[in-house]
Amino acid sequence: MSLIRALSKELEARSDDSLRALFAARPDLISPVVPDFAALAARASARVSVQRALERLNKPEMQVLETLHLCTNTDTGHSVSAAGLKKCINGATLAALEPILNKLQELALIHRADPPATVHNPGRQRFYLPVGSLKDVIGIYPAGLGRSYTELVRLQPAFAQRVVHLVAELHQSGANILPATTPMDAALALQRWTSTPENLQHILSEAPARTRPLLNKFGSWAMGAVPQAQRKASVLHEGRDVGPVDWLLARALLVPLDAGHVELPHSVGLSLRGGAIVDHFTLKPPVPELGQTSAALRRNAAMGAIAEVLRLVGDLLYAVREQPVVTLRSGGVGVRELKRLADSLRLGLSETALILELSALSGLLRLDVDSSTWVQPPSVEWLTLPRQEQWLWLVNAWLASERAPSLVGQTLSGPATTAPRSGSPAGSINALSAEAQRPDAPLVRKRILEILEELTLEAEAPDGKAPVLDAEAVMERAEWAQPRMSRRFSSLVRGILHEAELLGLMGSGALTQLGSAIATEQPELALSILGEHLPAAVNHVLLQADLTAVAPGYLAPELSEKLLLLADAEGQGPATIFRFSADSIRRALDAGQDAETILTFLRTHSATDVPQPLRYLIKDIASRHGRLRVASSPSFIQSDDEAAIAELVREPGAASLGLVRIAPTVLTSTASPRETARVLRELGLSPAVQEAETAVVRYKRPTAVAGGVRPVYTAPRTAPPDDDVDAQLAVLRHHRAVHGEVTGEAATQLGLETLQRAIRLKQAVTMNVVDGLGNSNTETVVPVSVSGGRVRVFDAARDTERVLSIHRIIDVEPAGEPRK
């Protein structure tokens, strides 16, 4: 029977509660709504859906599923039971296997099947078959075992050409192997020769030193890299001191794939594992060896990191407000612009990139598309919030963001790109560029925080000490919990742990109480903890006679911003030093302040009196400020007729130009030369525009952008809403009561399943094909391959091959079977 039909019948027999559990675990099955059980089975068997389901399985579940795949044959209907799997999995028991098989069946990855013909008394055993697409999803090395000798002969022409000669040489040298005349016979002979652990042990007894350690490297994966593999495999070495690689290649215990890679054949790998497909099976996750840190160190490190990141974000917003961040033509922020920000924040480039990315993904910076710069919105609510709410704003935005800030500076995968003018290295990821986008980042962050919580609960000491968790410990647990997602974790885990330290979710390498609250989705608890332990921002400084002000802690953003206008910050951390100078005082005066305003501000926010040297400096600079004024004008108007100039100043139609008379024959205008000329022409004048030959660079004020909306984190949803599930169940039950035929989505998948099975078995099928005129014809052909929406078939009646479009095939059934 068709696998899709068998799964469809099983799904139809399930209860509503069982179907609800299936939809919760695999929500993609009902998005969009599926019309009937046959279509549900077809969708559950689809490659993409199976791949998603496998990403949620842990290591023992994957081991059982891969073993079941290797022990069954969906084409012939050869099924397997838990007792059969137990023989192939070292350390497994029926009590351990049956719950796993039940879960795999609930996930619709396997379904019940008839026992094989060789089993005469199955008793109460339950036999299973996997869904048809499992082979494609698992890949060519299930359970880390290689392909059989017969497959390698069929798929590796170079190996097929020499395998007969190789077997003959082995036979002549005294090996217990039968000679062969064809490549397939030679493959079968090699398979029998290496089929048992005892045979392989006898073969390896004559191997050179270091052969066994080399073979142990293929314990978890069948392919390896060996330079000049094909050349080394050409001669059987006898009586010569050869290395283990040459010895194994000459006896086909390793098969060359190309000039640099070899594969360990299936029978050899199986024998190395003692005849078992899985040589180590356990239901318990690995327990890493972890150091410990005290609760006080963990808390103090986290509070310090939080206070520092809040200060740095505030300083960055001030720096960007003073001078927007310019983007590259190719997108993102270049190294030169990043270095300017780093100098302003007194940080390294990588730390500055993290703060910049964090501010942007939190909505505190926005890209102004008109000027191609990152700017601060006109009003930012974040600056006015209490410190604990500022922190939660940043954490929520980080959890939900599809950006991976720690990727900035890393090398791009793929072909190297040309280095931009900004001086950033060729092929590296720029800050705020599209290359730092990772759509799976929220899901990976959530899982890493959950793993940190699991490891912390398992290893937490009664005296309050917490385990120190590193990337290796997290990866070890991730590879057990979700082995098929380990590659996603490996590229992000170090960066996510670093970002978690930056945000105080980890401290001294351990998960903090804040991190635990966020991992368990309790933000209110996190706010309560932070409000209790985070020091309040100070609102005063200590003025000193050496023209400096010392901040005795983290300053409030408003105070820090005003001090940065009056003085230049030095150093880093909570005890920031602000140094007053003639240039810094002049900067404040240019911004519109006067001496009395500055002194009043300092008296209000200083815990000490304003020192005399500082008062003298402020008054001296203020007394000399403004005697000469420098201004700029976009354009000017010049005429030899003084009367005409005077008349133009009084003209109401020229008011929009902002004209100012600076000489009897010269006016300045606030408009550009072209705009000024346009207005003058509308007044009936005929001006001549004289523009400089060189380009004039003008600062364009950023376009106003709406203020940021406070981010609210919602964990990535894994289950569909209850209303959607109820609606889907109603559709399925109604269709079962009214209809019964297979149509639409299911019919297409059933046809493809029949074609692919016929290709593997080299069997004929009967197809109902519609031609270009709409006429249907029934044909019996042998399908050869399916790809790109077309099927290549061999027509025995015409003794020729043809290519048919799949959308023209109405129906397809194995030849000789009755139509359903």
Side-chain angles (χ1 to χ4, degrees), residues 15 85 131 182 186 282 292 492 561-562 738:
S15 66
L85 293 176
V131 294
T182 66
T282 178
Q292 289 187 330
L492 294 178
E561 180 180 331
K562 292 177 181 177
V738 177

Side-chain angles (χ1 to χ4, degrees), residues 726-769:
D726 291 339
Q728 178 62 82
L729 289 174
V731 170
L732 291 173
R733 298 309 183 192
H734 175 74
H735 188 277
R736 180 177 61 177
V738 177
H739 304 283
E741 71 278 4
V742 176
T743 58
E745 183 178 348
T748 302
Q749 292 298 326
L750 281 168
L752 287 173
E753 180 189 49
T754 302
L755 287 173
Q756 290 163 349
R757 183 171 182 267
I759 291 170
R760 291 191 296 268
L761 298 178
K762 299 181 181 180
Q763 292 180 343
V765 296
T766 301
M767 297 190 301
N768 192 353
V769 183

Side-chain angles (χ1 to χ4, degrees), residues 577-598:
I577 296 175
F578 297 85
R579 185 170 297 279
F580 298 93
S581 64
D583 290 339
S584 67
I585 299 299
R586 195 175 291 114
R587 183 172 64 222
L589 294 171
D590 289 341
Q593 298 192 28
D594 55 31
E596 190 56 39
T597 302
I598 295 173

